[in-house]
Structures are given as structure tokens and as C-alpha cells.
Amino acid sequence: MRIEQLVVGQMGVCCYLLGCEESKQALAIDPGGDEEKILAHCQAAGWQLKLLVCTHGHPDHVCGNAVLKRATGAEIIMHGDDADFFGRPEVEQYFSMLGLPASPPPDRLVKDNEVIELGSIRLQVIHTPGHTPGGICLYAAPHLFTGDTLFVGGVGRTDFPGGDTATLVNSLQQRLLALPPETVVWPGHGYGGARSTIGEEARDNPYLTEKWY
């Protein structure tokens, strides 16, 4: 599995292109804008973009889905809880203030511990609610794509609709810190850095080492 980290969109989302060198297929995690940049990387690598995987439904992470789906026919994948939540009219209206296009409805809903497969790529879905109800991390040992659940030196905010601090703390402590310390953390924004490890975050991240809730 080859990993390309691209910073895209007006909110600096870390989009990840995962390519299978055997099948020449690829998936994009959180294509939050700059669709032509994403397509150009796939073309340069000789990859067919087949899946668009959403770690959560916030517009800055899904605003590229419509263009990429039209261009490639790629399927959109999201956890069912976020598909339901972000499909509510009042939630759509709230997040429309960001001025970003909404995602088309997902083609496939996933749940905790389900495996997303593409060629030789296997991503385990880890349901990590708190930032959003259906937030997920994607695990392909030793790599963990954390969306906005965990950043380098930080964690996702919980003051947007659907956020819940106690739930996020449980996700971090019970799900992510249970992974091997050498697990590579690929965050949804590079606020504190482009990547880290679970061991480094357990040692240095103030939101994991101090009581902040």
C-alpha cells in the first residue's frame, strides 16, 4: 500500500490517497477540495480512483466528493450514524454557513470493525464517535488515519452539533490508546504536525496526558 498525504481545500484538510500497486486502484480518505490536484496525483501514479472514504461528515472533509464521484464513478463510504445525522435538514442548514458543497448520499454505509477492501488494501473501521456521531478511524497496521478524532498534539473539537466531549474521551482512551504504540497516526489536519505515533501522543498530547474535560 502506497500512501500520499495531500493538504487540500480552504480549511487545510489532510486527504490521503492509498494506492494498491498490484491492481492500480486507489481510494481517497477525506477529499476536502482541490479535486483536480487529487485527480492529477492519481493520474501520475497510474491509479483508478474507486472509493471515497469519509472519516466523518463535516463539509470540509467531504466537499470534494461530488466532483470526484462525477469524474471517476468512485463510491462514497461513510459510517451510518454520520450519514443519518448529516442528512437531517437542520444539520445541513447549520453547516451550510461554511459555504462548502455537501456530499452526495453515501453509496455504502459501514459500521465498527467492518473491513474496507480495495485490491491489496484492507482498512479496519474503528468507530470513534465524539467529534461527530459517526466519526471513524481507519486502521491498516501500522497505519491509522484518524480524521478529526486525533491530531498531533490535539483532538477534535466537540462544540459543533453532534459533538460530545465524554464520548470523544472514551473513543480516545478505549479505542485508540489500545492500539500498539508504534501505530503511525495520520491526522485529518496538520495543526501540530503531519504525522505522529500512538506512543508519542500517549506521552506528549496534553489532551491524552491531562484531564481537560
Side-chain angles (χ1 to χ4, degrees), residues 35-36 39 52 62-73 101 104:
E35 298 90 351
E36 293 304 320
L39 291 170
L52 306 172
V62 303
C63 61
N65 282 350
V67 170
L68 292 174
K69 182 174 178 63
R70 284 197 300 269
T72 67

Side-chain angles (χ1 to χ4, degrees), residues 15-16 49 52 54 65 80 85 88 103 123 141 148 182 209:
C15 169
Y16 297 94
L49 186 60
L52 306 172
C54 311
N65 282 350
F85 181 75
R88 297 178 188 174
S103 173
L123 292 175
D148 285 3
E182 65 272 16
T209 59

Side-chain angles (χ1 to χ4, degrees), residues 75-131:
E75 293 188 346
I76 299 170
I77 297 177
M78 184 181 289
H79 190 279
D81 289 352
D82 262 20
D84 291 343
F85 181 75
F86 285 94
R88 297 178 188 174
E90 68 274 17
V91 176
E92 285 186 351
Q93 182 177 7
Y94 177 89
F95 284 106
S96 69
M97 66 181 179
L98 295 176
L100 298 172
S103 173
D107 301 290
R108 174 182 167 189
L109 302 179
V110 292
K111 58 184 183 296
D112 189 40
N113 288 322
E114 191 167 339
V115 176
I116 298 169
E117 300 185 20
L118 184 70
S120 61
I121 299 169
R122 304 287 185 275
L123 292 175
Q124 178 190 350
V125 174
I126 302 177
H127 185 206
T128 52
H131 181 62

Side-chain angles (χ1 to χ4, degrees), residues 52-63:
L52 306 172
V53 186
C54 311
T55 62
H56 62 294
H58 280 155
D60 57 323
H61 287 254
V62 303
C63 61

Side-chain angles (χ1 to χ4, degrees), residues 33-51:
D34 289 333
E35 298 90 351
E36 293 304 320
K37 179 179 179 179
I38 293 170
L39 291 170
H41 270 74
C42 288
Q43 184 176 19
W47 293 337
Q48 270 192 309
L49 186 60
K50 304 295 287 185
L51 302 176

Side-chain angles (χ1 to χ4, degrees), residues 126-146:
I126 302 177
H127 185 206
T128 52
H131 181 62
T132 66
I136 59 175
C137 296
L138 300 158
Y139 183 50
H143 302 285
L144 180 71
F145 303 90
T146 58

Side-chain angles (χ1 to χ4, degrees), residues 117-199:
E117 300 185 20
L118 184 70
S120 61
I121 299 169
R122 304 287 185 275
L123 292 175
Q124 178 190 350
V125 174
I126 302 177
H127 185 206
T128 52
H131 181 62
T132 66
I136 59 175
C137 296
L138 300 158
Y139 183 50
H143 302 285
L144 180 71
F145 303 90
T146 58
D148 285 3
T149 296
L150 177 64
F151 303 126
V152 178
V155 297
R157 57 192 293 177
T158 57
D159 56 337
F160 284 139
D164 184 83
T165 299
T167 302
L168 179 63
V169 169
N170 184 71
S171 293
L172 293 164
Q173 294 181 344
Q174 300 300 317
R175 304 305 305 275
L176 299 194
L177 290 184
L179 296 172
E182 65 272 16
T183 301
V184 180
V185 172
W186 298 96
H189 295 271
Y191 298 140
R195 68 175 180 174
S196 182
T197 66
I198 287 294

